[in-house]
Amino acid sequence: MQVVAEGFNAFETQKSPKGEVKFLGSPKDVIEVVRSGKLQDYILLVRGGTTTFLTPALSMGASGVITMSGAPESHLGILSREFQIPCVMTAYLTSSESRYAVGNTDDAHFEEIADTLVGKTVQLHCDDAEVGRVSIVS
Amino acid sequence: MTQTLLDKRLYDVLNAVALKKMASAAAVAEIVDLSLDEVRGIFTELEDGDLVALMGETALPTDASGPVLVDSAAAIYGPLREDPSVLQVADKFEEVNSRFLRTMSSWQQIEVGGRKLANDHTDSAYDAKVITTIERLVSRLEGLLEALAEKDARFRTYVGRFERSLGKVDAGDIAFVSDPTKDSVHNVWFEFHEDLLRTLGRARKE
């Protein structure tokens, strides 16, 4: 298992979804992915734990989520547990020194993560009590 | 639709859609002072203006809706944003909100030996304690909701929604604590938080 990213695990689960990482940056992206009929093929990457526009994707059956900021106690963390959708939060690249800090994170941090993960097929591993992991499948 | 500012009817409907993230006309009609047919008509108007996308009977906010809501709220709620009777109680919300989010997490997960496990709701004493905390936190919104409702009556709908969801919980239907598919306490709280931020022109804290 080649782990490329780690973060807070929103909840412990044996579910280990695989899919192509797709970045959702706006409501338009959410509408497009829901309309595509391929929602469950993707692992959804979003910027924050307060990315509230993601809600329709969660209620329509998203299979997994990675956030680049936010805590398991956030609204998105609460929703992921309600919908039982594995969610790795405040993910960082294991190959990078860059870490998210509230109010002190420049765009390069988020861009580095997105550039590394978007388009790759990954698997989420959320069976640990605290740490959620992202491994590369292809 | 080319205007950047919405009148109050359009604002109320688009705001409701944006708060719910996806909403049927019936769901919106329940929380705005408009008939179902009026809401359907406004959905069509908002779709023509690229402010909502319709998927069957359900409306989702578009990217364009965000800035239009921000500008319209600034115009509609300008005086409210400078009203000390509102701001004094609103300033206390973030602290109550942080406690609410932690309490909601403790409803979903229990700590056993430092490990968080899913709450299977077999410990009725534990659940009752969390529900009491939730009720106390909701009651702490009363002053704020009252101050806002004096300026815009639609904020009274939150009072009724909290009462209904807590009533369901008290009657034993604990799904009304946090189930996102119901008008649960968490859903109502979350919508109120977003509504409050937009009304006051404030940003969400991460």
Side-chain angles (χ1 to χ4, degrees):
Chain A
M1 178 171 81
Q2 184 195 349
V3 173
V4 288
E6 291 182 350
F8 301 122
N9 188 11
F11 68 100
E12 204 174 319
T13 176
Q14 294 302 312
K15 285 184 184 175
S16 191
K18 290 180 194 173
E20 180 187 330
V21 177
K22 188 171 188 64
F23 179 72
L24 302 184
S26 72
K28 175 170 168 273
D29 295 340
V30 175
I31 292 168
E32 282 177 2
V33 76
V34 168
R35 280 181 168 162
S36 73
K38 296 179 178 175
L39 175 61
Q40 293 181 339
D41 295 345
Y42 296 116
I43 299 295
L44 307 177
L45 175 67
V46 294
R47 183 150 169 159
T50 55
T51 308
T52 57
F53 59 75
L54 189 61
T55 307
L58 301 181
S59 62
M60 299 288 276
S63 57
V65 175
I66 303 168
T67 79
M68 294 184 273
S69 65
E73 290 76 24
S74 67
H75 175 67
L76 184 52
I78 291 169
L79 285 185
S80 77
R81 290 191 287 277
E82 286 296 322
F83 286 115
Q84 290 291 293
I85 297 169
C87 182
V88 179
M89 308 194 76
T90 311
Y92 58 87
L93 299 173
T94 52
S95 60
S96 170
E97 296 292 313
S98 182
R99 298 289 182 270
Y100 174 79
V102 178
N104 188 29
T105 309
D106 59 26
D107 285 344
H109 172 79
F110 302 108
E111 288 162 5
E112 183 185 26
I113 295 172
D115 288 347
T116 302
L117 296 180
V118 170
K120 302 281 195 329
T121 299
V122 303
Q123 185 167 17
L124 303 189
H125 307 272
C126 297
D127 54 349
D128 183 86
E130 302 292 336
V131 179
R133 296 182 174 84
V134 181
S135 69
I136 289 283
V137 176
S138 64
Chain B
M1 192 183 300
T2 55
Q3 85 266 24
T4 53
L5 294 181
L6 302 173
D7 67 30
K8 189 62 166 52
R9 290 166 76 248
L10 292 179
Y11 176 84
D12 282 351
V13 170
L14 183 58
N15 183 49
V17 171
L19 294 174
K20 291 184 174 301
K21 313 303 171 197
M22 56 190 302
S24 66
V28 172
E30 280 182 20
I31 58 171
V32 298
D33 190 22
L34 295 166
S35 71
L36 182 57
D37 283 343
E38 285 175 313
V39 174
R40 282 185 176 137
I42 291 174
F43 270 14
T44 304
E45 208 175 325
L46 293 171
E47 186 185 36
D48 291 345
D50 189 33
L51 295 175
V52 300
L54 291 179
M55 296 171 64
E57 282 276 300
T58 305
L60 285 80
T62 62
D63 289 5
S65 69
V68 170
L69 281 169
V70 167
D71 291 346
S72 300
I76 294 167
Y77 295 114
L80 183 150
R81 291 179 180 182
E82 294 175 4
D83 189 320
S85 69
V86 172
L87 298 181
Q88 278 171 8
V89 276
D91 287 343
K92 296 173 184 165
F93 177 80
E94 286 299 335
E95 182 207 328
V96 182
N97 184 58
S98 298
R99 288 186 59 199
F100 180 81
L101 291 175
R102 287 198 299 275
T103 305
M104 205 46 69
S105 293
S106 71
W107 172 255
Q108 296 177 306
Q109 295 182 302
I110 55 172
E111 281 210 30
V112 179
R115 193 172 163 195
K116 287 177 182 166
L117 302 175
N119 182 5
D120 62 7
H121 302 294
T122 55
D123 185 344
S124 56
Y126 176 89
D127 279 3
K129 195 174 165 187
V130 179
I131 288 168
T132 299
T133 304
I134 290 169
E135 286 173 338
R136 280 189 189 143
L137 291 168
V138 171
S139 73
R140 288 190 60 184
L141 299 187
E142 280 173 12
L144 177 55
L145 285 167
E146 199 174 303
L148 289 166
E150 278 185 21
K151 311 296 177 191
D152 187 340
R154 72 182 179 80
F155 281 99
R156 287 219 168 76
T157 60
Y158 289 107
V159 177
R161 291 171 68 194
F162 276 127
E163 282 175 359
R164 276 194 296 279
S165 53
L166 286 171
K168 296 267 191 187
V169 173
D170 282 342
D173 193 348
I174 60 171
F176 276 83
V177 173
S178 58
D179 189 333
T181 66
K182 300 181 186 302
D183 205 30
S184 62
V185 180
H186 176 246
N187 268 19
V188 180
W189 185 289
F190 173 73
E191 287 181 31
F192 171 63
H193 187 189
E194 289 244 313
D195 204 354
L196 178 69
L197 293 173
R198 184 145 50 235
T199 300
L200 297 181
R202 293 179 174 177
R204 179 179 281 278
K205 292 179 181 173
E206 184 63 53

